[in-house]
Amino acid sequence: MQRCRILNGFHLKLIAICTMFIDHMGYTLFPGVMWLRCIGRAAFPIFCFLIAEGCVYTHDRKKYAARLLVFALLSEIPFNLMNSGAVWDIYHQNVLWTLLAGALVCWLIDWALKNRRALAFVLTALVMAAAFFLLERLNTDYGGWGMLLVVMFYGVHRAPGGAVSKMIAQALGLAFFSIASMGGYVSIELWSLVALVPIWLYNGQRGFSPKAVQYGFYAFYPVHILVLSLIAMYRY
């Protein structure tokens, strides 16, 4: 099993941004080409997995959260242009808000497990419920279910058990997310299960990760959706 794990964090990020780009290209430029959207279903689970891994290994949680917050703010106008063609759109928010909420909830769960008091677990459950409601209400990309997917990957990482049991847990959790996030319907979101292949090939290593590359991956999100949105708006 260990010999097959040939991908590091850098490789996973490349796969995630490439499949995300294909997905958004289909959404903005080729809305009738469904195979582009199917390929794109792999992106979000990989990002959730990487956020969960970041929550475990980051040495500075404040800086980690701050980066997500800054790029969530920077991504709002490009996302609005892609989603509605308007600069200001209060009805749909970008996915980085979902990922940020997932990271914060993971750290809250970590705090509760270390605290080991009933009040800490009750407070954590209440905050999770409130965060889920808020994300759904604000209509962030993937909403509360996306936040829970980050939490699922984080929980599987921290839980005891062998590799096979964790793979089964990830598969079941992702399948549940794919159906629940679509209101209980089976849809192309089930293609997100393909993301488990590179995730299961992950060797736990960070890989090539200088500061410029780290921020480049963050910046890719707002930049590419801005470019695609402008092309879609002015190509005719």
Side-chain angles (χ1 to χ4, degrees):
M1 178 74 70
Q2 194 66 33
R3 292 179 181 178
C4 297
R5 295 185 175 180
I6 57 176
L7 302 180
N8 57 40
F10 177 74
H11 299 138
L12 288 187
K13 290 175 183 177
L14 285 178
I15 294 170
I17 66 169
C18 287
T19 51
M20 177 177 65
F21 179 80
I22 291 170
D23 181 45
H24 290 161
M25 186 171 63
Y27 181 80
T28 55
L29 303 179
F30 308 103
V33 184
M34 292 307 296
W35 64 267
L36 295 174
R37 307 304 310 282
C38 291
I39 292 174
R41 297 308 91 207
F44 184 68
I46 296 175
F47 281 121
C48 289
F49 177 80
L50 290 168
I51 290 292
E53 288 289 295
C55 288
V56 173
Y57 294 114
T58 184
H59 298 297
D60 193 327
R61 291 179 173 181
K62 290 182 180 179
K63 286 185 178 179
Y64 192 82
R67 283 196 298 270
L68 286 170
L69 175 60
V70 168
F71 281 97
L73 291 170
L74 292 174
S75 300
E76 267 306 299
I77 290 178
F79 181 80
N80 292 340
L81 290 173
M82 181 180 72
N83 190 64
S84 64
V87 172
W88 180 255
D89 180 7
I90 63 172
Y91 300 105
H92 203 170
Q93 320 307 322
N94 75 78
V95 76
L96 292 180
W97 297 109
T98 304
L99 298 177
L100 173 60
L104 295 175
V105 169
C106 287
W107 291 327
L108 184 61
I109 292 172
D110 190 47
W111 167 78
L113 290 172
K114 290 178 180 177
N115 190 282
R116 293 189 176 276
R117 294 183 180 180
L119 182 60
F121 289 107
V122 171
L123 178 62
T124 299
L126 290 174
V127 171
M128 283 183 65
F132 184 94
F133 174 80
L134 184 62
L135 292 171
E136 292 289 307
R137 188 75 173 177
L138 293 174
N139 201 21
T140 65
D141 234 11
Y142 290 101
W145 294 108
M147 176 198 72
L148 292 182
L149 187 61
V150 176
V151 173
M152 184 276 289
F153 281 120
Y154 184 79
V156 170
H157 181 103
R158 299 299 295 264
V164 174
S165 63
K166 291 190 175 187
M167 291 167 69
I168 293 172
Q170 288 173 339
L172 292 175
L174 184 52
F176 178 80
F177 159 80
S178 301
I179 296 173
S181 63
M182 292 292 106
Y185 294 98
V186 174
S187 68
I188 66 167
E189 199 63 44
L190 276 176
W191 281 96
S192 64
L193 290 169
V194 174
L196 292 172
V197 175
I199 287 173
W200 289 344
L201 294 176
Y202 173 60
N203 59 19
Q205 302 299 312
R206 193 174 189 179
F208 183 63
S209 189
K211 286 292 182 183
V213 171
Q214 291 180 41
Y215 282 95
F217 278 119
Y218 280 101
F220 182 83
Y221 179 67
V223 170
H224 90 279
I225 58 178
L226 177 61
V227 171
L228 288 174
S229 300
L230 292 176
I231 293 173
M233 290 170 64
Y234 295 109
R235 65 175 174 171
Y236 296 115

